Amino acid sequence: MEPLTLSTARLTLRPFAPSDAEEVHAACQDPEIQRWTVVPSPYERAHAEEWVNEFSPAAWREDRAYTFAVRLGEDGPLVASVGVHVRGPGAYEIGYWTTKEHRGRGYMTEAVDGVARWLFTEVGAGRLEWRAAVGNAPSRAVAEKAGFRVEGTLRAALDIRGTLRDCWVGGLLPSDLGLPCRLPYLPAVSATP
């Protein structure tokens, strides 16, 4: 996948660049980001350098993940990170974090919506999954506001730094956003007693 930039009403979502290392390092000092995500803990400057210089660009090139630095406007501060992991043909999973000082303003919901619409309309995704450790209420609130339906709890399905955790899983379909799907969808019909 060729790296690209997306825009929403308030945000610019672009691939991470070397110039983002300082802000990524500062953001990932937040104990809540370390608690709920897979970033290393403690999070060192070398981790941020590796993220912006090696991992993120390689993931785009190799079609493994599409990670976006979310900024207020084109030149504003880093407010979040959104990543889409390719799980297989047509299978994608979204993950995200928001900087401490920019939470509660709807930026993450706006960014997730922008990325989901791009995946459905330009990439041809038929489904987008979200997972978060049970108890991560802020992540769940964002997912639900963005239109995800929480579909259940998976036991021992999330590995955070070597510890398996139960996680919530949700799904978003193009039709949930009023968009067409590239393939027909035939939902299961429940039998009534």
Side-chain angles (χ1 to χ4, degrees):
M1 173 79 65
E2 193 66 35
L4 57 92
T5 298
L6 304 174
S7 296
T8 67
R10 301 179 291 173
L11 307 170
T12 299
L13 292 78
R14 63 160 175 73
F16 280 94
S19 59
D20 297 322
E22 186 174 326
E23 286 176 290
V24 169
H25 178 253
C28 290
Q29 298 310 301
D30 179 5
E32 290 301 298
I33 290 175
Q34 291 184 24
R35 176 182 180 193
W36 297 115
T37 72
V38 296
V39 302
S41 179
Y43 195 85
E44 300 171 3
R45 175 66 186 224
H47 294 124
E49 296 282 348
E50 181 181 22
W51 175 257
V52 301
N53 292 314
E54 297 171 32
F55 179 85
S56 185
W60 276 93
R61 273 192 315 276
E62 297 164 10
D63 238 0
R64 289 184 287 116
Y66 318 125
T67 56
F68 295 94
V70 181
R71 296 191 167 276
L72 274 178
E74 204 168 305
D75 299 315
L78 179 72
V79 298
S81 171
V82 177
V84 176
H85 302 276
V86 180
R87 296 293 182 212
Y92 303 90
E93 181 182 331
I94 196 163
Y96 43 81
W97 52 255
T98 307
T99 62
K100 185 176 183 175
E101 58 274 8
H102 292 102
R103 292 182 187 138
R105 299 179 185 167
Y107 298 139
M108 185 49 67
T109 302
E110 185 176 327
V112 168
D113 181 73
V115 169
R117 289 178 183 279
W118 165 70
L119 280 169
F120 293 142
T121 61
E122 302 298 321
V123 179
R127 173 183 167 84
L128 180 59
E129 277 194 4
W130 156 86
R131 293 176 185 218
V134 170
N136 189 347
S139 182
R140 183 174 177 152
V142 166
E144 289 176 332
K145 287 177 190 170
F148 283 80
R149 293 185 189 178
V150 177
E151 298 168 337
T153 301
L154 303 175
R155 296 180 309 138
L158 191 61
D159 179 347
I160 298 182
R161 288 179 296 285
T163 300
L164 293 176
R165 297 184 185 187
D166 294 346
C167 73
W168 292 316
V169 63
L172 184 68
L173 306 179
S175 58
D176 295 332
L177 300 178
L179 299 170
C181 186
R182 67 179 177 82
L183 295 174
Y185 168 48
L186 180 62
V189 178
S190 298
T192 54

